[in-house]
Amino acid sequence: MKKVGIIGAGIVGASAAFYLTRMGYEVKIYDAGYAQGTRAAVGIICPWVSQRRNKSWYDLANRGAHHYLSLIKDVSDDRFFKQNGTLITHDTKLDKQYNIALKNKENAPMMGEVYLLTKEEVQEKIPEGFELDEAIFVAGGAQVDGALLIDILLKDSQIKVIPKRVYLEDMTIDGEMFDTVIVAAGPWLNEAQSNEYDIKIQRGQLIALEAPEVIDSYPVIMPQGEADILFQENRIIIGATHIDLDTEKAYRSEEAMYLKHNVEAIIPNIYDMKEIDYRVGFRSVSRNHQAFFGPTDHNMTQYVVSGLGSSGLTVGPYIAYLIAQSINGKDIDFSQYSPHLYKGE
């Protein structure tokens, strides 16, 4: 039985462990446990209205979104995934975004129906007391709880994470030799192996506000700006911030206020609502905000993944699936996302 060592138990590492154990590999996974980005995230799966012009990013994000349709069938528990649709708003570019959505719908069956709703129609889809003008509604939009997804993937893999900061040297991790290794250490990729990649760390904080009732059947709201609005049981989730080159994992009240300020027009009584939780995590961001992944040697025994940014929950499981397929002998073309394109100067 071939042995695979994985550094990083975030969305890529946990997903890779899930797929590889199903294929019959012996897997060990290591994680230092410092404010992991995935565990801090409640991700929005709705890449189809993005105005980013990077075609390779969109192609990957679209495939990553659709991959969830098979993933939720493979795992033992799909509570991490809610497909209640997404509402997208913009002060000046809503028509442009609507046309983008209609164009992308041709090759994105997961999107479902797409509507441009009036203010009156929008009010029927949001909680009482919220205020929102016209918006695009994408019926297939979804949200993913990162922490819950990782726990389910590891449980189904029957793997216990080794809580240790480790370093890859040749094919050895923590004194043990492996046949294949995957370094999915996010923003700490360069600290976990010998190559230098062009990435930076980015801090993200989100907050949870107490709702007066269970409201988790509402669509995700993606307003203009950084802060999105999600619903979990009796919680309203606001987030997340994007602070470059910052490794402090403590709660910051100024970031919480920034998030509230971003959505106060939608939630007028937000300053009267009780904060009941927060999450802080760290993303890895490449120079062009593009994920990179694949083998780093001709023998295809060493793989690295990084640069997922705020798209981690959208693309992570699919990237892990491709790497697992490659390790299992399938010919996968990694050239468009090759780590060699992101080697540091």
Side-chain angles (χ1 to χ4, degrees):
M1 182 186 295
K2 286 189 176 181
K3 294 169 55 180
V4 181
I6 302 175
I7 300 178
I11 187 58
V12 175
S15 297
F18 173 77
Y19 288 117
L20 289 167
T21 54
R22 283 163 59 93
M23 294 173 179
Y25 290 87
E26 179 185 345
V27 178
K28 284 192 176 182
I29 186 166
Y30 304 81
D31 193 282
Y34 186 83
Q36 186 188 92
T38 307
R39 286 195 174 277
V42 181
I44 300 173
I45 311 299
C46 190
W48 309 292
V49 193
S50 172
Q51 297 184 71
R52 290 175 63 166
R53 297 181 180 180
N54 186 329
K55 185 177 183 299
S56 63
W57 173 86
Y58 175 76
D59 288 345
L60 180 64
N62 183 40
R63 284 181 280 151
H66 283 80
H67 184 72
Y68 271 97
L69 299 181
S70 61
L71 178 62
I72 59 177
K73 296 177 183 177
D74 291 337
V75 294
S76 63
D77 183 348
D78 65 359
R79 288 177 300 128
F80 65 88
F81 184 82
K82 290 195 303 181
Q83 195 171 19
N84 296 331
T86 304
L87 288 165
I88 299 101
T89 70
H90 199 286
D91 292 342
T92 60
K93 298 181 179 180
L94 199 62
D95 288 339
K96 180 180 179 179
Q97 289 180 299
Y98 181 57
N99 290 328
I100 291 172
L102 291 178
K103 180 180 178 181
N104 287 336
K105 187 176 184 297
E106 299 173 8
N107 297 303
M110 180 182 172
M111 285 180 68
E113 295 302 317
V114 181
Y115 303 100
L116 187 57
L117 304 181
T118 65
K119 180 175 181 178
E120 291 73 22
E121 292 170 327
V122 170
Q123 289 300 130
E124 296 177 1
K125 292 186 176 294
I126 58 179
E128 185 178 353
F130 280 48
E131 296 182 6
L132 202 60
D133 291 330
E134 62 177 357
I136 301 164
F137 178 66
V138 179
Q143 72 180 62
V144 172
D145 186 311
L148 182 56
L149 172 54
I150 286 181
D151 289 341
I152 291 168
L153 290 168
L154 294 174
K155 176 178 176 290
D156 286 358
S157 304
Q158 297 184 328
I159 292 177
K160 186 174 182 179
V161 176
I162 300 170
K164 192 172 186 180
R165 185 178 296 277
V166 294
Y167 182 84
L168 171 65
E169 187 170 358
D170 295 325
M171 297 298 293
T172 301
I173 302 174
D174 197 29
E176 183 170 357
M177 181 74 72
F178 292 91
D179 299 299
T180 306
V181 294
I182 303 170
V183 184
W188 291 279
L189 173 64
N190 291 332
E191 284 76 12
Q193 46 76 63
S194 58
N195 293 311
E196 287 290 323
Y197 293 96
D198 189 2
I199 56 173
K200 65 181 178 182
I201 193 170
Q202 188 180 80
R203 170 191 158 96
Q205 176 177 304
L206 59 76
I207 57 173
L209 308 175
E210 185 176 33
E213 58 183 345
V214 174
I215 55 172
D216 64 356
S217 62
Y218 289 103
V220 171
I221 301 175
M222 295 177 64
Q224 186 176 347
E226 280 190 331
D228 300 315
I229 304 170
L230 306 95
F231 305 97
Q232 284 188 334
E233 298 179 348
N234 67 330
R235 295 181 171 202
I236 301 170
I237 310 295
I238 313 293
T241 56
H242 297 73
I243 312 296
D244 288 342
L245 306 177
D246 191 328
T247 59
E248 175 57 58
K249 65 179 182 179
Y251 168 86
R252 288 180 180 161
S253 59
E254 64 269 26
E255 285 187 54
M257 289 298 293
Y258 170 80
L259 292 170
K260 292 177 183 180
H261 176 71
N262 269 256
V263 299
E264 63 183 357
I266 301 172
I267 314 175
N269 66 332
I270 191 167
Y271 297 106
D272 298 325
M273 302 178 75
K274 180 181 179 182
E275 279 187 49
I276 56 175
D277 199 5
Y278 75 95
R279 294 184 187 180
V280 172
F282 302 105
R283 314 176 186 95
S284 59
V285 181
S286 70
R287 59 174 174 267
N288 63 347
H289 296 266
Q290 172 67 62
F292 59 87
F293 54 93
T296 61
D297 64 325
H298 294 299
N299 295 327
M300 301 185 75
T301 58
Q302 297 185 17
Y303 294 77
V304 301
V305 184
S306 195
L308 277 62
S310 55
S311 303
L313 278 173
T314 300
V315 302
Y318 179 65
I319 289 173
Y321 173 77
L322 292 178
I323 291 174
Q325 291 289 316
S326 177
I327 291 172
N328 203 39
K330 187 173 182 179
D331 186 16
I332 303 293
D333 182 7
F334 292 102
S335 59
Q336 193 173 8
Y337 308 98
S338 172
H340 297 292
L341 301 173
Y342 295 86
K343 283 286 188 72
E345 299 296 333

